Amino acid sequence: MEIKRIAVIGAGTMGRGIAEVAAVAGLDVLIVEVSESQRKLSQTQVRKSIEQGVRAGKIFAGGGSGTTADAAAAADVISSRIIWTDDIDAAAMTKFVIEAVPEEESLKLDVFSRLDGVCPPTAILASNTSSISLTRLASATGRPDRVVGMHFFNPVPMMAPVEIVRAATTSEDTVETTRRLAEQMGKQAFVVQGRPGFVVNRVLMPLINEAAIALHEGVADAVTIDGLMKLGCNHPMGPLRLADLVGLDVCVSILHVLHRELGDKFCPCPLLIDMVQAGKLGRKSGEGFYKY
Ligand SMILES: NC(=O)c1ccc[n+]([C@@H]2O[C@H](COP(=O)([O-])OP(=O)(O)OC[C@H]3O[C@@H](n4cnc5c(N)ncnc54)[C@H](O)[C@@H]3O)[C@@H](O)[C@H]2O)c1
């Protein structure tokens, strides 16, 4: 199945990045976002990000001599491939949908059941979930063979990999179509089984959690923990700064799922929970372990 148009549900950190890379790759994109303020913010951010990419030569838009006016014109063309709406029913004619709403199972189940009702029976419904069982999401639909995980990394325009996650029910055809779409979007696809947290979050979240526990216990301050992990482990960014980038609310949601499904070693650090309750979510709220 050739995909020329996709729908993205949710225009937060991930959804807007997914929409951007799809539009840059020449796909038409419908993006559904329920919050009007978030829709406007994301629309501006995507337009700006595309223009910066064109100006920096990272996005090739053809023609022009690289002036600011050329970059703006090229960004206009790419941005015009994205239609913004608050109406999920507008996804009715779409053959491939990528859901990127917050990491709450009940919300995702509701979105999947609504998509199942409006999309053509052959459409593939993908989720960008970080940890929720794809098999449970598939069971909310009448097409469990056509539900798959498509786990992008943050920030989507810069990060190469995508975990293509098989639910117990996902068909080989669905995996192959999803892999081809990821490659069409300029990404490198890795197919994994739908065990909790897949590969990256199962390995990464205990690291972030342990760094938060070390901070909580006063072993060292955030700058020291991050500095040591950067230089001592050759990581490009320390775990606490990375947690701020991912979103502390997202980290806690993933840890709750891993804790429930895989046991106590994933129990979220109380400091992380307190910070989320205090609205310190990282970059997106202006403060997390660091101020932005
Ligand atoms: N943030 C990350 O680094 C990261 C990385 C990989 C995967 N993920 C996963 O991607 C998903 C989205 O995460 P995010 O960080 O973009 O979250 P986010 O909170 O930044 O964005 C989610 C958006 O969905 C919107 N939304 C809520 N209900 C909706 C509905 N019914 N229809 C349409 N829009 C709706 C919200 O208003 C919000 O703008 C989660 O499952 C998360 O686990 C996140």
Side-chain angles (χ1 to χ4, degrees):
M1 177 164 62
E2 199 193 349
I3 308 295
K4 292 186 175 154
R5 179 175 187 267
I6 65 166
V8 177
I9 315 298
T13 310
M14 298 304 289
R16 70 164 175 265
I18 295 167
E20 178 184 328
V21 295
V24 168
L27 294 160
D28 289 322
V29 182
L30 175 87
I31 184 156
V32 183
E33 166 60 59
V34 285
S35 151
E36 189 183 354
S37 56
Q38 183 65 38
R39 210 164 52 240
K40 285 188 177 149
L41 179 70
S42 288
Q43 194 164 2
T44 309
Q45 282 168 330
V46 167
R47 174 72 180 65
K48 204 165 130 196
S49 171
I50 295 173
E51 195 171 325
Q52 278 168 352
V54 174
R55 219 179 292 143
K58 291 183 184 151
I59 296 174
F60 180 69
S65 51
T67 64
T68 302
D70 287 337
D76 280 343
V77 171
I78 296 170
S79 305
S80 71
R81 295 186 193 127
I82 309 177
I83 294 171
W84 301 78
T85 178
D86 62 354
D87 180 12
I88 201 165
D89 290 349
M93 300 307 290
T94 315
K95 287 193 211 159
F96 201 107
V97 183
I98 305 173
E99 165 277 311
V101 303
E103 190 76 345
E104 290 161 32
E105 185 162 331
S106 56
L107 176 61
K108 288 193 191 277
L109 285 170
D110 182 52
V111 168
F112 268 73
S113 134
R114 287 199 61 188
L115 287 170
D116 193 42
V118 296
C119 294
T122 53
I124 292 176
L125 307 181
S127 175
N128 187 48
T129 179
S130 306
S131 58
I132 292 169
S133 160
L134 269 313
T135 305
R136 278 204 295 276
L137 295 183
S139 71
T141 74
R143 63 185 85 201
D145 57 320
R146 297 186 159 268
V147 172
V148 67
M150 200 175 187
H151 184 229
F152 290 84
F153 292 82
N154 184 15
V156 182
M158 288 168 65
M159 299 295 282
V162 178
E163 283 178 305
I164 309 288
V165 187
R166 285 179 204 275
T169 47
T170 310
S171 72
E172 209 44 52
D173 255 15
T174 299
V175 169
E176 268 320 299
T177 304
T178 309
R179 184 209 295 270
R180 278 202 303 276
L181 176 65
E183 287 170 357
Q184 207 180 327
M185 290 167 76
K187 300 298 177 195
Q188 196 171 342
F190 294 85
V191 180
V192 301
Q193 297 298 333
R195 296 284 298 141
F198 323 130
V199 172
V200 172
N201 280 318
R202 184 172 178 157
V203 176
L204 172 65
M205 286 303 150
L207 176 71
I208 287 177
N209 204 34
E210 204 56 44
I213 293 170
L215 179 67
H216 194 45
E217 289 180 359
V219 177
D221 61 22
V223 172
T224 305
I225 293 170
D226 277 351
L228 277 166
M229 291 306 293
K230 261 178 80 171
L231 297 177
C233 299
N234 210 12
H235 289 183
M237 182 186 289
L240 299 174
R241 196 169 283 285
L242 180 57
D244 277 358
L245 181 66
V246 171
L248 301 193
D249 53 338
V250 176
C251 294
V252 168
S253 301
I254 298 169
L255 282 163
H256 278 311
V257 173
L258 295 174
H259 184 205
R260 201 172 55 233
E261 309 261 346
L262 297 175
D264 281 349
K265 68 179 172 182
F266 294 96
C267 181
C269 168
L271 175 64
L272 277 175
I273 294 173
D274 284 352
M275 288 176 75
V276 171
Q277 280 170 355
K280 293 180 184 174
L281 308 182
R283 259 173 200 268
K284 63 182 165 189
S285 70
E287 185 174 351
F289 291 107
Y290 299 91
K291 288 201 166 124
Y292 299 92

